[in-house]
């Protein structure tokens, strides 16, 4: 397809023509997918990035430059999306690697003794406060 027709679709899409959006998708999706595979070997990830690209394209079309080269814009956007995904995946793998360690928490004997002593003191204090209550209130609280 000639460049003039591509730019016509692009401008029509930006101006709200949904058929032009469909034409842009059909025109570029296969080339974009092949291009995305150069940056990420997982086709499903590339498809996800393509999906995100076209959703964002549709959502933010009023902010797009009508004079931009559509193919160049789409290739750059897809590359940025795939690279951002790679970076996020790398960050998540690093974090997941840190969380793979078993998390066994053992209280020291001193900590256990201190906790039991605090609990015992709390019970004693509560019993003292209950004894201060009038007899009628003490009966209803037990």
């Amino acid at each position: 397809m000639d460049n003039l027709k591509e730019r016509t679709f692009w401008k029509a899409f930006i101006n709200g023509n949904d058929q032009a959006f469909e034409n842009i998708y059909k025109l570029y999706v296969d080339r974009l997918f092949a291009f995305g595979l150069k940056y990420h070997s997982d086709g499903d990830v590339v498809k996800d990035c393509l999906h995100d690209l076209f959703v964002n394209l549709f959502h933010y079309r009023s902010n797009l430059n009508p004079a931009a080269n559509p193919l160049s814009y789409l290739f750059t956007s897809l590359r940025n999306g795939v690279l951002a995904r790679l970076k996020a995946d790398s960050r998540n793998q690093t974090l997941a690697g840190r969380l793979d360690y078993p998390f066994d928490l053992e209280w020291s004997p001193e900590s256990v003794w201190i906790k039991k002593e605090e609990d015992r003191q709390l019970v004693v204090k509560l019993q003292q406060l209950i004894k201060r209550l009038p007899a009628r209130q003490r009966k209803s609280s037990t």
Side-chain angles (χ1 to χ4, degrees):
M1 179 169 283
D2 66 1
N3 198 338
L4 181 60
K5 189 126 181 148
E6 293 173 16
R7 288 181 187 269
T8 302
F9 285 154
W10 183 253
K11 288 177 184 175
F13 160 65
I14 290 172
N15 290 322
N17 184 325
D18 291 342
Q19 182 61 47
F21 177 72
E22 185 178 333
N23 290 337
I24 290 170
Y25 179 84
K26 288 178 182 178
L27 182 64
Y28 295 122
V29 71
D30 291 333
R31 286 191 277 176
L32 287 166
F33 181 73
F35 177 76
L37 288 173
K38 293 178 182 179
Y39 291 93
H40 202 297
S41 60
D42 187 341
D44 289 335
V45 171
V46 175
K47 286 178 186 177
D48 286 346
C49 292
L50 271 170
H51 175 263
D52 293 345
L53 168 64
F54 278 97
V55 166
N56 288 333
L57 193 69
F58 190 84
H59 189 261
Y60 297 109
R61 70 170 140 194
S62 62
N63 299 334
L64 297 173
N65 180 358
N69 180 325
L71 186 60
S72 177
Y73 179 85
L74 294 171
F75 276 176
T76 301
S77 297
L78 179 61
R79 185 194 70 214
N80 291 342
V82 171
L83 292 177
R85 178 74 175 263
L86 281 168
K87 187 175 181 181
D89 288 349
S90 172
R91 207 174 314 127
N92 289 340
Q93 285 178 346
T94 301
L95 181 59
R98 290 182 192 157
L99 297 177
D100 285 342
Y101 297 109
F103 185 71
D104 294 330
L105 183 60
E106 292 185 27
W107 297 101
S108 70
E110 294 84 14
S111 297
V112 172
W113 182 83
I114 290 170
K115 178 68 177 144
K116 284 182 181 179
E117 185 60 27
E118 288 172 346
D119 289 347
R120 189 190 63 72
Q121 288 176 359
L122 190 59
V123 168
V124 168
K125 187 172 186 176
L126 187 59
Q127 287 171 342
Q128 290 171 349
L129 290 172
I130 289 173
K131 285 180 183 178
R132 290 186 191 169
L133 290 172
R136 265 186 23 201
Q137 287 182 332
R138 253 187 278 148
K139 275 189 174 185
S140 65
S141 66
T142 56

